Structures are given as C-alpha cells and as structure tokens.
C-alpha cells in the first residue's frame, strides 16, 4: 500500500517478474545458494519443482535471461583451465521479493511449510 491506497502498478510489475512458468522453480533452486547451469537444471528437473514436466534447455535459457533482465539473478562466467563454467545466484532484490511473497502466503491451518 502507498498510504491508504493499494499500489496496483507495483503489484502488477512484481507478479509479471514471476510470470514465466519456470521462474519460481529457478528462484527456489537458487535459494540455497549459487549453482552451475547443469546443477541448476538437474535440481529443478529431478526435484518436485518440475511437477512432472520436462524442462528443456531452451526454456531454461529464456527463463534465466528474463530473470537476469529483471535483476532477480546474477550470472558469472568462470574459466577453470580450458573448461568454461556458468554459475547463477539470487540477487538481493530476489531475496527481498521471496521474503515479501512468502510473508503474503496464506496457509490453511495445520499445513506444514516445506
């Protein structure tokens, strides 16, 4: 709220950042700390974050680019010898967003939070 008014434009901008189908799964996977690209993909695909769906590289790449553009994640390219490795992690902006959204979640009585 802004004063007594609800900031609908702010709510719209915030929820649009999470619009791509896999955005929440990426943020959830990175919440534990930075991950290399393949570990990130495997974490999402092999856990309950995929909800039985197949995560294709093209979709993950597009989602990562959107989250990078929205400054919700960072990307670091590293070279180890001749090998190139890409790591991703959450920004402070994403941490703040996750905390605010988490506090807004309504849980039915007796439901455990995972």
């Amino acid at each position: 709220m802004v004063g007594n008014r609800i900031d609908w434009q702010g709510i719209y901008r915030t929820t649009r950042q999470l619009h791509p189908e896999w955005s929440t799964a990426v943020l959830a996977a990175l919440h534990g700390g930075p991950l290399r690209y393949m570990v990130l993909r495997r974490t999402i695909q092999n856990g309950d974050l995929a909800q039985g769906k197949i995560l294709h590289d093209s979709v993950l790449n597009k989602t990562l680019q959107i989250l990078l553009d929205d400054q919700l994640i960072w990307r670091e390219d590293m070279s180890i010898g001749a090998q190139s490795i890409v790591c991703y992690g959450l920004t402070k902006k994403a941490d703040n967003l996750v905390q605010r959204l988490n506090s807004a979640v309504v849980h039915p009585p007796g439901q455990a939070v995972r």
Side-chain angles (χ1 to χ4, degrees):
M1 287 182 106
V2 179
N4 291 339
R5 297 185 348 227
I6 296 174
D7 182 4
W8 291 110
Q9 290 297 321
I11 291 169
Y12 175 77
R13 282 190 308 274
T14 299
T15 56
R16 291 296 299 163
Q17 289 176 325
L18 299 176
H19 174 68
E21 180 180 5
W22 293 96
S23 292
T24 305
V26 170
L27 295 178
L30 293 173
H31 192 258
L35 296 173
R36 292 179 300 162
Y37 178 87
M38 290 306 295
V39 176
L40 172 61
R41 186 176 184 279
R42 219 175 307 121
T43 299
I44 294 169
Q45 191 63 64
N46 295 342
D48 60 352
L49 298 172
Q51 300 176 354
K53 299 176 186 172
I54 302 296
L55 175 57
H56 298 281
D57 281 325
S58 62
V59 173
L60 178 57
N61 288 329
K62 182 177 178 182
T63 301
L64 290 170
Q65 189 58 57
I66 290 168
L67 293 173
L68 282 164
D69 291 345
D70 288 340
Q71 299 175 339
L72 292 174
I73 63 171
W74 52 262
R75 172 191 165 124
E76 184 176 346
D77 297 305
M78 299 182 289
S79 293
I80 300 176
Q83 187 177 14
S84 179
I85 296 174
V86 178
C87 272
Y88 293 91
L90 293 183
T91 62
K92 287 270 192 214
K93 180 179 177 181
D95 281 331
N96 291 335
L97 176 62
V98 168
Q99 294 304 318
R100 287 194 320 263
L101 289 173
N102 189 52
S103 68
V105 173
V106 178
H107 299 282
Q111 180 183 6
V113 178
R114 297 194 276 160

